[in-house]
Amino acid sequence: MKLIIGNKAYSSWSLRGWLACRQSGLPFEEVVVPLYDDAWDRRREGDEFAPSSGKVPILWDGDAVVWDSLAIVDYLADKVGREPFWPADEAARAMARSMAAEMHSSFAALRRKHTMNVRQVYPPVAPDDDVRADLTRIFELWAQARARFGSGGDFLFGAFGAADIMFAPVCTRIATYSLPTPRFAAAYVLAVLQHPFMQDWIAGAQEEEWVIEKFEQPVT
């Protein structure tokens, strides 16, 4: 398999696809493509990017191509079994799938106003009301998952899985922008950031030479 991703410092969707590949345990080639550099428009017109219209991540597995992070999770679960990704308990699995889907489609204010940058930590600034509303909903989801199904470990459903993969970029945003976080959520954020896969990703981001100035601005 070959996974094409954007800059590790900034690309939240790439992080999800990459974590899914690591979680699968399958070997894969990692290809990092700098976002928005001088060759970006030309590069994204190439055959490898055509199915996704230039978006990353893109997973190639022979002739099969998958270009959406949640679809990558499902594709890999089909290959290796759902156990690495989804809880065995039916009720827990239903909730985990719903949470992953809501993360996939929601929280636009948090995404837009607090872009991912795993190389920075900015002083706290009070979030806008729409961002605060997104965080409130996220913390509600986390609290419900942890209370109902999280007793077996440090993650949303005990063991690290697809729901944690989908919320991992939220954890980086909370850390980067010093966003207000209740104590239980802060412990979960720390557990995600300290996961070995996340530590590998962050180390890779620190080694990157590329800087995108529009993603290097603190919230004012």
Side-chain angles (χ1 to χ4, degrees):
M1 299 192 303
K2 177 167 67 175
L3 182 72
I4 304 173
I5 59 175
N7 309 54
K8 289 185 174 180
Y10 311 115
S11 184
S12 58
W13 290 109
S14 293
L15 169 58
R16 294 180 173 105
W18 185 88
L19 287 173
C21 287
R22 290 292 302 271
Q23 184 71 359
S24 76
L26 297 172
F28 66 100
E29 176 189 359
E30 172 188 314
V31 179
V32 180
V33 178
L35 302 175
Y36 312 124
D37 66 358
D38 293 340
W40 174 246
D41 288 336
R42 174 179 53 79
R43 187 187 299 114
R44 66 193 301 209
E45 294 174 355
D47 291 343
E48 286 192 315
F49 286 86
S52 70
S53 296
K55 297 178 181 178
V56 289
I58 308 169
L59 178 66
W60 285 92
D61 184 14
D63 292 332
V65 58
V66 195
W67 61 88
D68 175 277
S69 295
L70 194 52
I72 289 172
V73 168
D74 285 337
Y75 178 80
L76 294 172
D78 286 343
K79 288 181 71 71
V80 303
R82 68 187 181 192
E83 290 79 11
F85 296 100
W86 302 108
D89 178 80
E90 185 174 274
R93 189 166 63 253
M95 186 174 188
R97 288 187 181 277
S98 297
M99 288 176 61
E102 184 168 347
M103 180 65 251
H104 189 268
S105 61
S106 305
F107 313 119
L110 176 63
R111 299 178 195 271
R112 184 177 68 255
K113 297 182 178 181
H114 298 270
T115 56
M116 191 174 93
N117 187 339
V118 301
R119 295 190 299 212
Q120 298 288 353
V121 176
Y122 297 118
V125 174
D128 292 343
D129 289 344
D130 52 357
V131 174
R132 191 178 295 276
D134 281 353
L135 290 171
T136 296
R137 174 58 178 165
I138 288 168
F139 296 150
E140 288 174 351
L141 290 171
W142 290 0
Q144 292 173 30
R146 290 289 299 152
R148 294 183 63 189
F149 304 111
S151 61
D154 295 329
F155 300 101
L156 294 175
F157 295 87
F160 188 78
D164 306 294
I165 287 169
M166 294 303 294
F167 281 101
V170 172
C171 296
T172 74
R173 287 171 163 97
I174 288 171
T176 296
Y177 297 97
S178 305
L179 294 170
T181 310
R183 183 177 300 177
F184 87 91
Y188 170 66
V189 168
L190 184 61
V192 170
L193 296 179
Q194 289 183 341
H195 189 282
F197 297 165
M198 286 296 296
Q199 288 291 297
D200 288 347
W201 177 274
I202 293 167
Q206 297 293 343
E207 295 174 358
E208 290 178 345
E209 298 179 355
W210 311 296
V211 174
I212 302 176
E213 290 298 336
K214 67 179 180 178
F215 297 145
E216 291 288 338
Q217 306 303 316
V219 176
T220 58

